[in-house]
Amino acid sequence: MTAAILLVIGIVVVALLLFLTERLRVDLIALLVLLALSLCGLVTPNQAVAGFSSPVVITVCSIFVLSAGLYQAGVAGWLGRQILRFGGKGEIRLLLGIMLLAAGMSFFMNTIGIVALMLPAVMDIARRTGRAPSKLLMPLSFGALLGGYTTLFATLTNLLVSESLRAAGLRPFGLFDFAPVGLVAATSGILFLAFFGRRLLPDRNLSKEASLQHGMRFMETLDFKERTFVMRVPAGSALAGETLQDTRLGSALGLQVVGVIRDGDTHVAPGPRFELRDDDRLIVQGTTAQLDALADWRTLKLQPNSEWGNLVADGIGFAEVTLGAQSSLSGHTLAWVGFRHQFGVMVLAIRRGSLVYHDGLQQRRLQADDVLLVCGPTEKLEALTSGEALESFHPLTQAELHELYHLEDRHFTLTITEESHLANITLGKSRLGDALGFAVLAIMRGEQTIVLPGREEVLQAGDGLMILGQASDLERLNAIGGLVREREISRSWAEIETEQFGLVEAVLSPHCSLVGKTLMEIQFRGQFGLNVMGLWRQGTAHTANLRDLRLAHGDVLLLHGPKEKLRALSTNADFILLTQAIQPAPQYSKAPWAVLAMLMFLVPAMIGWLPVHLAALLGAVVMVLTRCISMEEACQSVDLKSILLIAGMLPLGTALRESGAARWFAEGLVTLSRPFGDMAILGTIFLIVTVGTTIMPAAAFVVLMAPIALHTAATLGLSPHAVMMTVAVAAAGSFNSPIAHPANVMIMGPGGYRFSDYAKVGIPLTILVMIVTLLVLPWFWPLHG
């Protein structure tokens, strides 16, 4: 074994571990693999970046654009309605209609686009027929995946398998070379799911288990009625004349005001600028514990101004830093960028020209030339300007601090009493920062001073909190504690759907840019004008402290607000609304042009006039020229994550071939399987690919496995096309887990699926597909000759 082989194996092992742990994004891992191969001299510089000009990348980008154009022109939707009519009300016919449509659309759309397009329609069918979404959504995703067996461009893995043949100097697969084996395998899988697999599908009707059913039934199953209360603003309250945003009722306790009753009229979904009046009755959602905590704010004891000396003595300094003209922080809030976590310092004020902002800092959007007053350890302060985001570092003396920012009137001490609800909870959960924008500079606990405590610091009774903020703001907390709880809301008050306001479920799209952020960080209500009433994740409904949950792929949000805001959200690429009623109308006038663009792709590729990647590019350009989709929309439709994954991993295939590592792996595979015959070798390859694509991205594993499979074929004298067809079918069948394919993640929340549900249906389906493939493969692709 040579040093080059050892290096390649080491890079493969590290990449596998990174994919398994999911500590880094898959596209970043791919780029690290590219850099590692180049720096170790395993590929030349040109080979390292050759993936970006690969025919696969061109084809994938073009297919994304073509799919988006067909969607916007209404072509795919029209086909869907025609075929779904075939299903009627019978369960088997309905499943056949859904799966045949999804599989058929794979001829001209990518799998993710198919599921995104059909998901709202299938959810509506589930509502109309009274069926559990869990009975329909997995067949939808699996049908689209089964359709991926049939054509070259139906899945990314098919394209990569064909590219591997081309890179090895062999004839690549043609447009419909996959069809003979793929159609038999796909048909077998669809029939299995319709007649037998449906019995393995969970009957998890979410209307019975905290479901995502529409309207009142959803509220009842999530205990919305029991969680909804009326709170009256007493006469003379300090809250009268304040807007809902200024009261900080939501940020202080995580409560949500879904309506205000005034003079007998109900104002549904009041906005953040809605001004309260005496005797207003607030329809509030929350838990009893949250409401009981209202009065606890009055137990905090205010003490005279604290001294700054303790902070300075402990190596804490104050400084001003300026955002540069090209700063990456411009346009974002401190919460969004995670400023304290990223830089290790706390922002106490923002100076913008002659204005100084002390309040609402976490949600205020930064601008170029903003001056930030920061506090933190001196070594952290000095490191602030090492990057490009911040510049012009200027340490401040105490005299300058008071002269420029007048902080002497804004710091004080709060003492936590024995009866306070803040005792024995973390600083983050106390909501002191959220409630009034207070900055906790230190905790004085007996003789100990904890400077700049983190969010995980547990507060204790008797703690003195050195606070930077406005002491008068405590009146708001006292006023919140003075709200009068009248009663639980009656059913009539819980009717929050009107002609102007709607209740809609939305799932995060596979390419959602908000994943990993909290609702508070993205300022969801301010950005989208909608309330998040509940969140469904991996079989569990969440209704409390939603603003602090980090969004994840597959999450379903129950949204309430003005219907015009819901319609606007339907055009946002981060969300897929689970109903067709709120979707924007397709541009049917563009449908003929969209079909023409698709034919401009298919016909030249079928007759061999153009290579597939150039034909696909031609179709995509025609789609834009005919205005079925704008250039901006075309760029947005391309999944950059997939492109980087492909381009970054393709050099690994080159390194496996040229270093001899692929031959080394192939010899081991041959030694293991050769005594059992050719079919055993193909079966072993099928199983290896199936397991590999379950634990890491299918595209990445195909790039890894393709050179090994080709060397195995060469060693045994097997047809390379037969072996690579086996790899392609195994890689396209990502049935066994939700993380195996983005389409599976997309249906997980709406269907209420658990991880085990995928294995329960996917494993027997995979075994069936493997048996069928191995039986029919020699008919169309002889193993020898």
Side-chain angles (χ1 to χ4, degrees), residues 270-293:
R273 299 189 182 280
F274 186 92
E275 190 172 297
L276 298 179
R277 299 179 186 173
D278 286 340
D279 296 321
D280 277 350
R281 298 159 71 205
L282 312 182
I283 303 176
V284 176
Q285 284 192 333
T287 63
T288 303
Q290 287 172 311
L291 295 175
D292 291 341

Side-chain angles (χ1 to χ4, degrees), residues 318-340:
F318 299 85
E320 288 183 330
V321 289
T322 305
L323 267 69
Q326 304 298 323
S327 174
S328 59
L329 305 182
S330 295
H332 298 294
T333 65
L334 294 173
W336 175 270
V337 300
F339 191 93
R340 183 171 181 183

Side-chain angles (χ1 to χ4, degrees), residues 533-537 540-543 546 549 551 555-558:
M533 311 290 280
L535 183 146
W536 180 267
R537 175 181 294 170
T540 302
H542 300 270
T543 54
L546 296 177
L549 282 177
L551 298 177
D555 283 352
V556 178
L557 308 179
L558 180 67

Side-chain angles (χ1 to χ4, degrees), residues 75 92 124 272 299 303 313 342 354 476 601 623 641 692 694 757:
V75 175
I92 293 178
D124 282 343
T299 64
Q303 294 183 355
Q342 183 176 351
S354 60
R476 283 202 181 98
F601 161 42
M623 193 73 78
K641 188 176 183 179
T694 300
D757 295 328

Side-chain angles (χ1 to χ4, degrees), residues 62-326:
S62 301
I63 292 297
F64 278 126
V65 175
L66 287 165
S67 298
L70 289 169
Y71 174 81
Q72 294 200 19
V75 175
W78 179 84
L79 287 173
R81 287 191 297 274
Q82 306 314 307
I83 298 180
L84 287 177
R85 287 177 184 173
F86 162 79
K89 293 186 177 180
E91 183 175 1
I92 293 178
R93 289 183 61 189
L94 186 58
L95 290 176
L96 284 173
I98 291 172
M99 289 187 288
L100 287 173
L101 169 61
M105 291 174 68
S106 293
F107 276 77
F108 53 89
M109 289 186 70
N110 66 78
T111 303
I112 297 174
I114 294 168
V115 175
L117 171 68
M118 292 185 61
L119 185 54
V122 174
M123 288 295 292
D124 282 343
I125 290 171
R127 295 187 186 101
R128 290 201 308 267
T129 61
R131 285 185 169 82
S134 61
K135 285 289 189 180
L136 304 179
L137 294 183
M138 195 174 289
L140 166 62
S141 179
F142 286 5
L145 291 170
L146 287 166
Y149 294 152
T150 55
T151 65
L152 173 63
F153 57 84
T155 68
L156 173 58
T157 51
N158 288 357
L159 289 165
L160 288 170
V161 164
S162 182
E163 171 64 15
S164 298
L165 286 168
R166 187 194 64 79
L170 301 168
R171 180 185 69 83
F173 285 125
L175 195 61
F176 293 108
D177 282 349
F178 292 86
V181 175
L183 283 173
V184 177
T187 302
S188 302
I190 289 173
L191 292 176
F192 167 78
L193 289 171
F195 290 97
F196 303 102
R198 65 188 179 91
R199 304 180 188 279
L200 302 175
L201 293 168
D203 188 8
R204 196 164 294 126
N205 193 327
L206 299 181
S207 64
K208 298 176 183 177
E209 298 183 24
S211 75
L212 292 180
Q213 295 290 331
H214 196 57
M216 276 302 299
R217 286 197 294 169
F218 181 36
M219 298 181 69
E220 289 171 352
T221 55
L222 287 183
D223 297 328
F224 269 35
K225 182 182 176 186
E226 288 74 13
R227 292 171 41 81
T228 308
F229 307 86
V230 171
M231 307 294 294
R232 181 171 57 83
V233 179
S237 171
L239 298 180
E242 298 273 8
T243 65
L244 281 175
Q245 179 176 335
D246 290 339
T247 65
R248 298 179 183 268
L249 185 61
S251 59
L253 291 168
L255 301 173
Q256 189 158 220
V257 179
V258 297
V260 177
I261 306 170
R262 177 181 295 167
D263 299 330
D265 295 326
T266 302
H267 301 266
V268 180
R273 299 189 182 280
F274 186 92
E275 190 172 297
L276 298 179
R277 299 179 186 173
D278 286 340
D279 296 321
D280 277 350
R281 298 159 71 205
L282 312 182
I283 303 176
V284 176
Q285 284 192 333
T287 63
T288 303
Q290 287 172 311
L291 295 175
D292 291 341
L294 283 171
D296 284 354
W297 290 104
R298 296 184 174 187
T299 64
L300 295 174
K301 290 185 177 180
L302 178 65
Q303 294 183 355
N305 289 1
S306 309
E307 295 295 333
W308 297 92
N310 292 337
L311 292 179
V312 177
D314 283 310
I316 300 299
F318 299 85
E320 288 183 330
V321 289
T322 305
L323 267 69
Q326 304 298 323

